[in-house]
Amino acid sequence: DSMRLIIFTFLVLTTAKLSARPNIVFFLVDDLGYMDIGAYNPKTFYKTPNIDRLAATGVKFTNGYAANPVCSPTRYSIMTGKYPSRIGATNWFSGTRSGKFKPAPLTSKMPLSEFTLAEALKEAGYRTAFLGKWHLGPTPEFWPENQGFDINIGGHNRGSPPGGYFSPYKNPRLKNLKDGEYLTDRLADEALETIDTFHAKENPFLIYLSFYNVHTPLQAPKEMVQKYQEQAKNIEGAEFGPEEQVWPGAKKRRVRILQKHATYAAMVEKMDQAVGKVLNKLTELGIEKETIICFTSDNGGLSTSEGSPTSNLPLRGGKGWVYEGGIREPFIIKYPSIINAGISDVPVISTDFYPTILELAKIDQRPEQHLDGISLVTVLKDPKSNPKRDSLYWHYPHYSNQGGFPGGAIREGKMKLIERYEDGRIHLFDLNNDPGERNDIAEMHPKTVLSMRTKLHKWYKQVNAKFLQPKGSNIDPWKP
């Protein structure tokens, strides 16, 4: 009998400990730009009331970054807490476009040996569900159900929604389709059902809602598009500005400089509505205070290709570029029971979510796994504080589909240095005074250039960075 009592007490304490852990909802939006959200850009053409409310009640980071200017590598960085360069996962899976040179060798899967954020939470007693875009492995063995998720709704190998946004989709992980349903609505409804199921079982849960919006194809419900078409008629001015510099020999890229694309606006609103539905569900169940909510994007807004639906101005470039328009993101974390609302201008990056979530959930850190992320808990509790990290780094040894050149970057304080991989040319920008990266001050600050470039090159070695490869009769590409 005494043994039974011990077991019973252990079970009660374990259950109490589990239920005391916070729930986690992670919103990842595909291709959403920093300037697409009202909370970051009050003049945006798009309507994002639910995300704006989230930003106003959580900690809004104004210098939040994706680890890469395109999708798969950033998704890898969130799941692993590592820079994607460590395994050569430096482009979308599997983008191998050539230019003057061949791109760096590319790893097109997240290895099963990575101990993902989902696996860390599952080990701590969480129920885990993935919904939406995965794009982290070519075959089912690399899909969410084998990377720490109990449930996988819609996650597979494709980057864009196969078959588009309206049912019937050609998605091997979505069943029981309703005629004409919109994919984003469907994922939101699935998220609500999953939250109900998990909540009833009293385990803490992770809902990772990874929208296909606002990735191409540009599709949205007709009535909503028509509403924005009417509003767009009142916006005057040129939609496209000067061509952006691309690598030598590539076709020039027009850059959108005005937000007025009606279908894109409808896609943003549909995504915001889905966020609102999930937030309302947490309130309805009375669990909002005990839920960590994260919101970010995988790369900057699409401004130079594939319809160029959004403008990132004043930020330069967009998806596929190592300029700010390609890597600076909405970045919000909310956890009402221990964090007050606030704004932080500390530079942070997508590798930081993993250790931050573990610390907030009182789960032991795994520094050998999330070795490139740092916990932001001190910043969340005091947005004026600074974490102990010198620099942020980017490494993109590819010719992007959107016209971006192969290059690397380092941000240290307000300064950002960009290095071009074809010829080793350097640019230096003061982001406080020049967020649009138009005024290259490299020649005026040789000591800063030397110091930052030395750090960047040291980092390349640390993460085993790969570089451009020779092609045909071209001379060998530059190497650091």
Side-chain angles (χ1 to χ4, degrees):
D1 279 356
S2 60
M3 181 52 75
R4 275 186 183 172
L5 184 62
I6 290 167
I7 292 168
F8 176 75
T9 308
F10 172 77
L11 289 172
V12 167
L13 289 172
T14 306
T15 307
K17 194 177 174 191
L18 276 180
S19 61
R21 291 206 196 276
N23 301 306
I24 299 150
V25 173
F26 197 109
F27 295 111
L28 179 60
V29 191
D30 197 4
D31 290 358
L32 186 75
Y34 183 89
M35 300 301 287
D36 291 347
I37 301 290
Y40 287 89
N41 174 19
K43 294 180 179 170
T44 182
F45 177 55
Y46 319 124
K47 305 287 183 292
T48 56
N50 295 297
I51 300 164
D52 298 348
R53 189 173 84 237
L54 180 62
T57 52
V59 176
K60 177 178 86 167
F61 290 87
T62 57
N63 285 298
Y65 288 94
N68 189 279
V70 297
C71 57
S72 303
T74 299
R75 290 162 190 274
Y76 168 86
S77 75
I78 295 169
M79 278 289 145
T80 65
K82 288 180 183 171
Y83 280 119
S85 304
R86 286 190 181 273
I87 64 157
T90 44
N91 203 10
W92 60 275
F93 297 172
S94 48
T96 53
R97 174 194 287 266
S98 282
K100 182 179 178 184
F101 302 106
K102 288 181 181 171
L106 177 67
T107 299
S108 277
K109 60 180 180 288
M110 179 167 71
L112 295 173
S113 56
E114 298 286 4
F115 196 78
T116 67
L117 172 60
E119 286 171 310
L121 293 169
K122 195 170 174 176
E123 191 180 79
Y126 277 73
R127 302 289 301 281
T128 56
F130 183 90
L131 301 96
K133 172 170 168 171
W134 180 244
H135 207 192
L136 280 171
T139 50
E141 72 196 278
F142 296 103
W143 293 358
E145 53 268 50
N146 294 312
Q147 298 277 24
F149 289 97
D150 298 316
I151 294 172
N152 171 21
I153 300 169
H156 57 113
N157 62 319
R158 288 286 296 278
S160 56
Y165 282 94
F166 290 97
S167 173
Y169 332 104
K170 296 175 181 141
N171 187 319
R173 285 292 182 272
L174 277 177
K175 310 291 183 215
N176 306 320
L177 308 181
K178 298 180 192 120
D179 277 352
E181 70 178 0
Y182 191 65
L183 179 57
T184 314
D185 293 336
R186 168 66 185 268
L187 291 174
D189 291 344
E190 294 273 8
L192 302 188
E193 277 182 39
T194 308
I195 290 170
D196 275 333
T197 304
F198 284 175
H199 180 60
K201 292 192 164 66
E202 295 191 351
N203 281 57
F205 59 75
L206 164 67
I207 300 287
Y208 196 101
L209 180 46
S210 173
F211 294 103
Y212 282 95
N213 286 44
V214 288
H215 196 289
T216 54
L218 301 171
Q219 296 173 347
K222 199 182 290 181
E223 317 75 54
M224 199 177 264
V225 174
Q226 286 168 345
K227 174 184 80 172
Y228 282 106
Q229 282 170 340
E230 285 305 309
Q231 292 174 19
K233 287 176 185 171
N234 303 319
I235 299 175
E236 294 179 355
E239 287 185 57
F240 292 91
E243 292 158 337
E244 189 52 274
Q245 304 167 17
V246 292
W247 64 86
K251 68 172 188 175
K252 295 282 189 273
R253 299 282 177 154
R254 294 193 312 166
V255 183
R256 179 175 282 278
I257 59 170
L258 191 64
Q259 292 182 347
K260 65 182 287 188
H261 195 296
T263 307
Y264 186 84
M267 292 177 80
V268 172
E269 185 174 347
K270 266 296 178 195
M271 177 275 300
D272 181 78
Q273 286 178 354
V275 169
K277 283 180 191 171
V278 174
L279 297 180
N280 290 343
K281 170 61 80 174
L282 300 176
T283 306
E284 180 193 309
L285 294 174
I287 56 176
E288 182 202 3
K289 281 197 169 63
E290 285 307 325
T291 301
I292 299 163
I293 300 167
C294 302
F295 180 95
T296 195
S297 171
D298 59 350
N299 48 249
L302 184 57
S303 64
T304 59
S305 180
E306 300 149 78
S308 305
T310 196
S311 167
N312 300 308
L313 286 183
L315 305 182
R316 185 171 183 179
K319 177 181 181 179
W321 299 77
V322 290
Y323 292 129
E324 294 291 285
I327 54 176
R328 199 186 290 204
E329 311 301 335
F331 196 113
I332 302 162
I333 301 176
K334 178 180 175 178
Y335 182 17
S337 70
I338 69 161
I339 294 168
N340 296 321
I343 298 173
S344 171
D345 60 4
V346 169
V348 296
I349 195 164
S350 49
T351 55
D352 298 339
F353 283 112
Y354 194 146
T356 302
I357 288 169
L358 291 192
E359 186 174 345
L360 288 174
K362 297 187 170 56
I363 299 169
D364 290 344
Q365 296 285 298
R366 294 182 165 269
E368 72 294 339
Q369 171 60 52
H370 50 70
L371 70 165
D372 296 313
I374 62 165
S375 172
L376 303 175
V377 171
T378 52
V379 187
L380 292 169
K381 290 182 175 176
D382 174 14
K384 298 282 177 281
S385 70
N386 263 314
K388 293 190 173 86
R389 172 170 53 201
D390 284 345
S391 313
L392 299 180
Y393 300 93
W394 293 268
H395 171 60
Y396 188 64
H398 302 278
Y399 294 89
S400 93
N401 283 7
Q402 297 76 29
F405 53 80
I410 170 175
R411 175 166 179 173
E412 194 174 21
K414 64 179 184 173
M415 304 301 267
K416 179 177 167 191
L417 178 139
I418 292 176
E419 180 166 65
R420 290 175 179 250
Y421 291 158
E422 288 191 324
D423 53 16
R425 264 190 303 151
I426 289 289
H427 310 288
L428 183 68
F429 303 104
D430 174 346
L431 294 178
N432 283 6
N433 296 312
D434 179 26
E437 297 168 289
R438 298 290 169 190
N439 183 24
D440 185 353
I441 55 173
E443 287 186 8
M444 295 158 57
H445 298 276
K447 284 185 180 167
T448 303
V449 166
L450 179 63
S451 153
M452 291 180 74
R453 194 179 198 187
T454 302
K455 266 193 173 175
L456 180 58
H457 287 200
K458 187 177 170 192
W459 176 79
Y460 292 150
K461 288 197 174 76
Q462 283 172 356
V463 296
N464 193 25
K466 310 282 194 300
F467 290 88
L468 300 178
Q469 304 291 301
K471 178 183 172 185
S473 59
N474 279 337
I475 55 167
D476 285 358
W478 172 89
K479 287 277 193 296

